[in-house]
């Protein structure tokens, strides 16, 4: 079975000051050898990847690329380029609404870790908060 191709952008946004820019040497390795289906791009001075990836869902595709970038280049990709997170689109698991969910999950993962939460804490929170009766 052929999986659908998902198109998305991933940005490396940090809370450090000064924030690294696209030209920063920390991005040299990933620029030279980006993940399959991804092309490095300058997003207003920020480093990012424009990706096309086969996967069962958009979230699967984003997670795979994030994992590859984290393990190979030690960069935590934290942004899908969504600016108006309060907007909503109930357009299914692979539409704009899914991109918003992905953005929120990336932000929660990054910011939670900065506060001392580990991945298990965040997963437990989601399971508990969203559990049905």
């Amino acid at each position: 079975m052929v999986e659908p191709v998902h198109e998305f952008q991933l940005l490396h946004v940090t809370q450090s000051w000064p924030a690294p820019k696209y030209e920063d040497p920390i991005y040299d390795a990933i620029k030279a050898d980006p993940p399959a289906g991804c092309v490095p791009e300058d997003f207003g001075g920020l480093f990012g990847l424009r990706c096309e990836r086969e996967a069962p869902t958009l979230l699967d595709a984003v997670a795979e690329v994030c994992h590859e970038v984290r393990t190979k280049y030690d960069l935590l990709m934290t942004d899908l380029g969504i600016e108006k997170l309060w907007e909503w689109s109930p357009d299914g698991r692979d539409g704009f609404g899914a991109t918003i969910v992905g953005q929120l999950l990336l932000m929660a993962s990054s910011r939670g870790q900065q506060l001392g939460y580990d991945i298990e804490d965040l997963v437990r929170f989601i399971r508990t908060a969203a559990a049905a009766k």
Side-chain angles (χ1 to χ4, degrees):
M1 179 176 148
V2 176
E3 295 180 333
V5 175
H6 304 280
E7 296 180 15
F8 55 94
Q9 60 190 28
L10 272 172
L11 285 74
H12 183 241
V13 178
T14 69
Q15 302 299 316
S16 64
W17 186 257
K21 298 293 184 193
Y22 182 81
E23 301 82 17
D24 197 293
I26 66 169
Y27 302 122
D28 288 350
I30 192 170
K31 286 179 187 176
D33 184 27
C38 298
V39 176
E41 189 169 317
D42 184 334
F43 289 90
L46 297 173
F47 175 81
L49 297 168
R50 188 164 302 279
C51 300
E52 291 185 6
R53 182 63 72 104
E54 287 184 16
T57 68
L58 174 66
L59 291 182
D60 291 322
V62 170
E64 289 172 6
V65 173
C66 287
H67 177 74
E68 290 172 26
V69 170
R70 182 70 166 167
T71 56
K72 189 170 182 178
Y73 306 103
D74 198 28
L75 297 173
L76 181 61
M77 303 303 278
T78 59
D79 200 299
L80 284 167
I82 301 297
E83 294 181 11
K84 297 180 180 181
L85 294 172
W86 56 88
E87 292 185 0
W88 182 242
S89 179
D91 56 353
R93 293 169 54 105
D94 297 320
F96 183 67
T99 305
I100 293 170
V101 169
Q103 173 75 34
L104 292 167
L105 290 169
L106 287 174
M107 289 173 65
S109 174
S110 170
R111 293 179 184 186
Q113 289 178 60
Q114 289 175 16
L115 295 172
Y117 292 105
D118 61 25
I119 300 301
E120 290 76 25
D121 293 328
L122 299 174
V123 170
R124 183 176 59 252
F125 174 82
I126 291 171
R127 282 195 177 121
T128 303
K133 291 183 188 182

